[in-house]
Amino acid sequence: MSVSKLGLLEGLLYSLGDEGIERNQLCELLEITPSQLKDMAAEYERETLQIIFYGNKCILTAKPIMHEYLEKLMIENMNTKLSQAALETLSIIAYNQPVTRSDIEVIRGVNSDASVKTLIAKGVVESKHNDQSRSQLLYTTDYFLNVFGLTSLDDLPKSTNEENEQEEMDLFFSSMNEKQNNEEQEI
């Protein structure tokens, strides 16, 4: 049984999940050119899935029509597994990234290591090594953007007062709580 290159592309990207794969490595595996890869991604047609490029990475991800459902799923999971502290920590990372754990501790006034570990385990935050210091830098992930239906961090809610970062974090946090409350009322 022969599998098409498009089928192989879909299978590889599905298997790799939200990690994706470098464009050049994928072209090498499939023995195609970058131009052919771009054409294959454009012709890939599924009702709820799409192939996109984030920088040099190729990823199989949900189409925008799925964002509402993914957000509901994420909120449901957060209701049972993310504490208030984890949600606060997530908003701090989202608005101030890259940040270190000590930066979060200064902003929150308490140790947030457990919250950070939970967010990393959920896949909405990642830690990257910084050659300039011993600290790990924390960033939100593409999964965070995907789950909340954002195309970039510029889509995060902004306060009308640009100088007030705390107000922006509160706005994000209140929108999360509002979504959680709406979910509870629907049940």
Side-chain angles (χ1 to χ4, degrees):
M1 182 169 143
S2 176
V3 178
S4 71
K5 297 251 185 200
L6 188 57
L8 290 171
L9 173 63
E10 178 184 46
L12 286 168
L13 293 177
Y14 173 80
S15 298
L16 293 167
D18 63 352
E19 289 289 313
I21 184 171
E22 296 289 327
R23 188 182 313 233
N24 294 339
Q25 185 180 9
L26 190 55
C27 288
E28 204 173 290
L29 280 169
L30 295 175
E31 298 175 346
I32 59 175
T33 66
S35 176
Q36 289 172 314
L37 176 60
K38 186 178 177 184
D39 291 344
M40 287 171 65
E43 77 179 55
Y44 180 78
E45 188 59 42
R46 294 289 185 263
E47 190 174 3
T48 57
L49 298 174
Q50 63 185 344
I51 296 174
I52 61 171
F53 296 94
Y54 280 119
N56 199 30
K57 285 207 173 190
C58 187
I59 299 171
L60 178 68
T61 190
K63 285 185 175 178
I65 194 167
M66 291 297 298
H67 292 168
E68 174 186 347
Y69 300 98
L70 291 169
E71 189 172 329
K72 284 179 184 178
L73 180 63
M74 183 67 169
I75 289 170
E76 284 176 17
N77 288 342
M78 284 185 180
N79 280 341
T80 58
K81 298 187 179 156
L82 282 187
S83 65
Q84 186 92 1
L87 288 172
E88 288 174 11
T89 302
L90 179 58
S91 69
I92 289 168
I93 294 168
Y95 280 100
N96 298 289
Q97 61 188 300
V99 295
T100 64
R101 291 173 194 242
S102 60
D103 293 334
I104 296 168
E105 189 172 325
V106 167
I107 293 169
R108 288 197 66 231
V110 295
N111 184 306
S112 299
D113 286 347
S115 295
V116 169
K117 286 178 186 174
T118 299
L119 295 170
I120 290 172
K122 287 279 197 190
V124 293
V125 169
E126 66 184 341
S127 175
K128 295 182 181 176
H129 181 70
N130 179 4
D131 291 334
Q132 307 303 318
S133 75
R134 296 184 317 166
S135 299
Q136 296 281 319
L137 296 177
L138 301 169
Y139 298 83
T140 55
T141 62
D142 291 336
Y143 178 63
F144 168 83
L145 295 174
N146 195 7
V147 166
F148 290 99
L150 305 171
T151 55
S152 74
L153 293 172
D154 295 333
D155 295 339
L156 284 169
K158 300 275 190 240
S159 71
T160 55
N161 179 357
E162 289 293 325
E163 296 176 11
N164 193 344
E165 289 178 8
Q166 182 62 44
E167 188 176 327
E168 288 176 349
M169 288 186 285
D170 291 343
L171 182 61
F172 173 78
F173 190 65
S174 69
S175 72
M176 288 293 299
N177 283 333
E178 184 178 307
K179 288 175 185 176
Q180 287 178 356
N181 291 337
N182 289 340
E183 290 294 316
E184 290 170 3
Q185 289 174 359
E186 290 177 12
I187 294 176

